[in-house]
Amino acid sequence: MNKYLIVGLGNPGEEYKGTRHNIGFDIVDYFASKFEAKFKVERFGLISSFSLKGRKLYLLKPSTFMNLSGKAIQYHLRINKVNINNLFVVSDDLHLPFGTIKCKKKGSDGGHNGHKNIIECLQDSTYSRLKFGIGNDFKKGHQSNYVLSPWSNEESLTLRELVKKSSDLILDFCLLGIEETMQNNN
């Protein structure tokens, strides 16, 4: 059976819920709810799993905080015997305008500390990712305040539809692969 690890990046804790930096958690939560998959506490995070069309999907929300996500991903790839080609990491991206959703087959960390740590821990940057644009409407030196702030009222109006679209891309990745997902959606 082909196995997949879908990871939503974010920070654990009530104070981070609904913030831009936690969009990865929100998208993975929505995806899990479509399949009535429940999360349980395991080492380094909350994990859920279910089977879909001959595939085993593991959904992970690391509890290691954003900047140390690599440790959780490394552990769950190993323990669940998932090939790095079947790893899909969902995160925020402030280099993309709000509402832009982009899939990539591999790449650098792009200045994202979560991806930086993943690449360091895995010693590999050839994993697939979904980048959710959060925009960069902040003054110089206020990046951390911006990413840890809640969505604006205007952004909130379209957020649910964008989360749904992102969830659909996760499904495409698992059923069609990254090449076809990028071709159909980027």
Side-chain angles (χ1 to χ4, degrees):
M1 179 178 283
N2 228 348
K3 297 178 179 182
Y4 293 82
L5 180 61
I6 311 303
V7 182
L9 296 187
N11 287 315
E14 287 297 317
E15 66 270 31
Y16 298 108
K17 280 190 176 180
T19 64
R20 291 176 175 88
H21 222 23
N22 271 33
I23 191 64
F25 278 10
D26 297 339
I27 292 167
V28 169
D29 279 340
Y30 182 86
F31 184 75
S33 73
K34 284 175 54 173
F35 297 95
E36 298 178 4
K38 304 289 183 220
F39 286 93
K40 60 183 178 177
V41 176
E42 284 199 15
R43 190 169 183 192
F44 302 126
L46 297 173
I47 194 143
S48 179
S49 65
F50 61 95
S51 296
L52 176 71
K53 297 189 177 186
R55 295 157 177 85
K56 181 75 170 187
L57 277 60
Y58 296 93
L59 310 178
L60 172 65
K61 297 188 303 181
S63 60
T64 52
F65 285 89
M66 177 75 75
N67 297 351
L68 299 173
S69 300
K71 185 176 184 177
I73 292 170
Q74 182 180 43
Y75 174 80
H76 284 281
L77 280 172
R78 183 177 50 78
I79 201 79
N80 295 306
K81 297 178 176 74
V82 178
N83 186 296
I84 194 167
N85 295 328
N86 291 344
L87 170 62
F88 198 54
V89 178
V90 181
S91 69
D92 62 307
D93 191 317
L94 49 77
H95 299 298
L96 296 173
F98 171 75
T100 303
I101 302 166
K102 186 174 182 180
C103 292
K104 288 187 72 175
K105 185 175 182 176
K106 60 183 178 179
S108 70
D109 61 47
H112 192 287
N113 289 331
H115 285 289
K116 181 179 181 181
N117 185 255
I118 294 166
I119 292 168
E120 285 173 2
C121 287
L122 299 181
Q123 293 294 295
D124 197 333
S125 64
T126 61
Y127 60 90
S128 300
R129 47 200 96 175
L130 183 152
K131 300 169 122 201
F132 187 98
I134 63 170
N136 58 3
D137 189 22
F138 57 89
K139 294 179 183 165
K140 188 174 181 174
H142 292 273
Q143 178 177 329
S144 63
N145 290 339
Y146 178 74
V147 300
L148 295 176
S149 66
W151 301 99
S152 71
N153 290 337
E154 187 179 312
E155 291 166 333
S156 295
L157 295 174
T158 56
L159 193 59
R160 182 156 175 82
E161 191 56 39
L162 293 168
V163 167
K164 181 185 180 307
K165 181 179 178 187
S166 299
S167 173
D168 292 343
L169 293 181
I170 294 172
L171 186 60
D172 284 355
F173 171 77
C174 295
L175 298 179
L176 306 173
I178 189 62
E179 297 290 347
E180 208 169 323
T181 301
M182 291 189 313
Q183 203 171 46
N184 294 344
N185 298 288
N186 282 353

